[in-house]
Structures are given as C-alpha cells and as structure tokens.
C-alpha cells in the first residue's frame, strides 16, 4: 500500500492547493492520502472531493503544533478525525489565532538584523494572518536574496537560537490528545527524528503521549535517514505504537521527499492505516 499520511497545502505552509496536492499524489502512485495542514482542517473538503473524483482513498488529518518542556515544539499528526467535533475545531482556531502576533514579533526581531518588511512579506506568501508560519518568512527572505533556499534561511535566521526565532505557546499535549481522541482520530508523533530532544527527553515525551491515548509514530518520514527509521521502528515495537508513513511534502523543490516517494514501512510493524480503512 502506497500510503502518504503527512503533507501540506496552501491551507498552511504548502505551495499547492489541496486539490493539486491530491492530483500530484495520485500521479505519484499514492493509494491512500491524508492531508495534514498545520493546525488547520480547512483544506479537507476540497482534497476529499478531488480524491473521490480520482478514486483514491483519503483520510482527514491535521498536524497539531504542541509546546513541550522548556520551549520545545513537537508536532502531533491527527488522522481519521471527525472534522465537526467542536473542541477540535475551536482548539485549532485558537492555536492559529496566536500566529499573527508571533509573526509581528518575528518581524520586529528580523528588522533589528536588517531584514525589513518581513511581516508584510510573509503575509503575502501566507495569504491569511492566522496561517503565517516560519516557512512563509523563509520564502520572503529567499526572495530578498539573503539566502539561497528555505533550508538555509532556517539555519541562519529562523531556527531556535537564531535572530528571528520567537518562542511561542502552542497547544498543550493534553489538549491536543483530547481533541484528537474526542474527534475519534488516531494521534501520531510526527517526524520524531527532527526534535532537538535528548534520548531521555524523547522517551519522556513518548511516555506522556502514550499515557494520554497517543497510538502512533511516524517511522517513515521524508525527514528520516535510514538510522532514524531503524531507531523509530524499534520504538514502535517497544511502545506498541502503530507505524505511520508520510512524506511531509510542502511543495516541489522545497521538501525532502515528494508525495508517496518514501521507503516502505518495516514489514513487522502494524501500519496505522490498518485502523483507518
Ligand atoms: P512554524 O509552525 O511557523 O514554527 O513553522 C514550522 C515549519 O517550518 C515546519 O512545518 C516546516 O515546514 C518548516 N521548517 C522548520 N524547520 C525547518 C528547516 N530546518 N528547514 C526547512 N523548513 C523547516
Ligand atoms: Mn510546515
Ligand atoms: Mn512538522
Ligand atoms: Mn508537516
């Protein structure tokens, strides 16, 4: 099964509209797709309709930004959610509501290091103040010619510890897991290999996640190297987690992996889609 259960559209920081993401996935041979925009479910009706039109299986999803520990951010992918569940809808709206003021603070910090007009510049890419993410800032900074690509903008200006980084309170892990469970969905830890957590901190987070009803982990992610795949396959076995597979595609030329073009799950793991379709 070519399942891709993690990707983005213009309804967060992706470059393609929801229907375009679905068409590209279908063209790449994806058989089961979840669209997982950051803290957003607004692209799902369009994506679902296009998937139905193409005869491709589709799961409603979202990627929820969660604050963890001492100013860390962890992403939790929600799969198979009822998008009319009020606490989920309202919770996500509240998380998005903080993005605009954070963007203004980021622009003020960037202004001090000579990158001017960044709020307006990022907003031009995001289209909607509630969706402004660091990716939109990165595109503007590339446009200004200060960096060759989005990745280097993060390395120089936007990653934690860099001048444009502003700490921000996202959802709590308790709230995020309650919204997902309440909406009948499955919670999955996104790209565990990307967090700057020590092994002990990661285990603490995974333990809490499981305690709160979290059931899955991305073993295959566009952001994972083969060593990470081995590590997180081991974690899935140890914790009894369902295994997920997602490209985390944002757009042509801007992502580690294209839709559906990631390795298969190790065969002994239970795929999260065994509970979704
Ligand atoms: P935000 O939710 O506004 O903090 O933005 C986070 C988004 O920035 C992620 O979802 C990625 O799309 C992107 N991102 C984070 N770190 C990097 C990086 N090192 N290189 C490229 N994109 C990144
Ligand atoms: Mn993103
Ligand atoms: Mn993420
Ligand atoms: Mn993502």
């Amino acid at each position: 099964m070519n399942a891709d259960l993690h990707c983005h559209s213009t309804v967060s920081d992706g470059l393609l509209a929801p229907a375009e993401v679905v068409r590209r996935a279908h063209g790449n041979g994806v058989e089961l797709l979840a669209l997982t925009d950051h803290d957003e479910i607004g692209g799902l009706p369009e994506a679902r309709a296009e998937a139905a039109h193409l005869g491709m299986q589709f799961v409603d999803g979202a990627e929820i930004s969660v604050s963890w520990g001492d100013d860390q951010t962890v992403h939790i992918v929600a799969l198979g959610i009822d998008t009319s569940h009020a606490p989920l809808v309202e919770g996500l709206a509240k998380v998005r509501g903080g993005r605009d003021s954070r963007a203004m603070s980021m622009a003020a910090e960037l202004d001090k290091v000579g990158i001017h007009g960044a709020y307006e510049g990022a907003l031009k890419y995001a289209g909607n103040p509630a969706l402004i993410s660091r990716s939109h800032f990165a595109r503007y900074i590339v446009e200004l010619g200060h960096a060759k690509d989005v990745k280097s903008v993060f390395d120089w200006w936007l990653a934690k510890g860099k001048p444009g980084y502003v700490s921000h309170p996202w959802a709590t892990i308790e709230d995020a897991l309650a919204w997902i469970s309440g909406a009948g969905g499955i919670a999955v830890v996104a790209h565990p290999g990307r967090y700057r957590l020590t092994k002990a901190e990661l285990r603490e987070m995974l333990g809490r996640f499981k305690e709160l009803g979290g059931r899955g982990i991305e073993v295959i992610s566009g952001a994972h190297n083969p060593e990470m795949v081995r590590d997180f396959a081991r974690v899935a076995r140890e914790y009894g987690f369902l295994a997920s597979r997602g490209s985390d595609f944002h757009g042509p030329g801007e992502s580690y992996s294209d839709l559906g073009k990631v390795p298969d799950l190790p065969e002994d793991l239970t795929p999260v889609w065994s509970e979704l379709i």
Side-chain angles (χ1 to χ4, degrees), residues 177 181 186-189 206 208-216 241:
L177 272 281
S181 305
I186 298 179
V188 174
V189 175
L206 294 172
R208 185 72 184 131
F209 169 79
K210 186 171 164 134
E211 218 170 71
L212 292 166
R215 299 189 55 206
F241 285 147

Side-chain angles (χ1 to χ4, degrees), residues 14-128:
L15 293 171
L16 306 178
E20 293 173 322
V21 171
V22 172
R23 283 194 289 274
R24 186 180 180 97
H26 186 255
N28 283 359
V30 172
E31 297 160 284
L32 171 68
L33 183 73
L35 176 67
T36 57
D37 277 311
H38 295 287
D39 313 307
E40 252 292 2
I41 52 179
L44 297 174
E46 179 185 319
R48 176 170 278 287
E50 187 63 19
H53 177 69
L54 295 169
M56 184 173 71
Q57 299 188 80
F58 184 81
V59 168
D60 286 323
E63 182 178 14
I64 306 182
S65 314
V66 164
S67 292
W68 174 258
D70 173 28
D71 192 27
Q72 300 279 348
T73 303
V74 165
H75 286 171
I76 305 292
V77 167
L79 296 173
I81 39 175
D82 168 4
T83 56
S84 66
H85 181 63
L88 174 76
V89 174
E90 288 156 18
L92 294 182
K94 198 167 145 244
V95 177
R96 291 197 299 277
R99 282 191 178 268
D100 192 28
S101 61
R102 170 200 190 225
M104 290 180 198
S105 309
M106 286 177 63
E109 294 304 314
L110 288 166
D111 196 67
K112 294 182 197 161
V113 294
I115 295 171
H116 308 300
Y119 176 79
E120 294 73 17
L123 181 57
K124 184 181 69 180
Y125 285 98
N128 172 350

Side-chain angles (χ1 to χ4, degrees), residues 110-184:
L110 288 166
D111 196 67
K112 294 182 197 161
V113 294
I115 295 171
H116 308 300
Y119 176 79
E120 294 73 17
L123 181 57
K124 184 181 69 180
Y125 285 98
N128 172 350
L131 300 181
I132 304 184
S133 77
R134 285 184 289 162
S135 306
H136 301 112
F137 278 92
R139 287 172 198 149
Y140 174 65
I141 293 169
V142 172
E143 176 196 318
L144 290 180
H146 290 299
K148 66 176 192 320
D149 58 22
V150 160
K151 170 104 194 43
S152 5
V153 180
F154 276 87
D155 295 344
W156 288 96
W157 284 287
L158 300 181
K160 193 173 169 190
K162 303 298 172 181
Y165 179 84
V166 170
S167 126
H168 184 74
W170 302 108
T172 64
I173 194 167
E174 290 81 9
D175 281 348
L177 272 281
W179 300 335
I180 298 168
S181 305

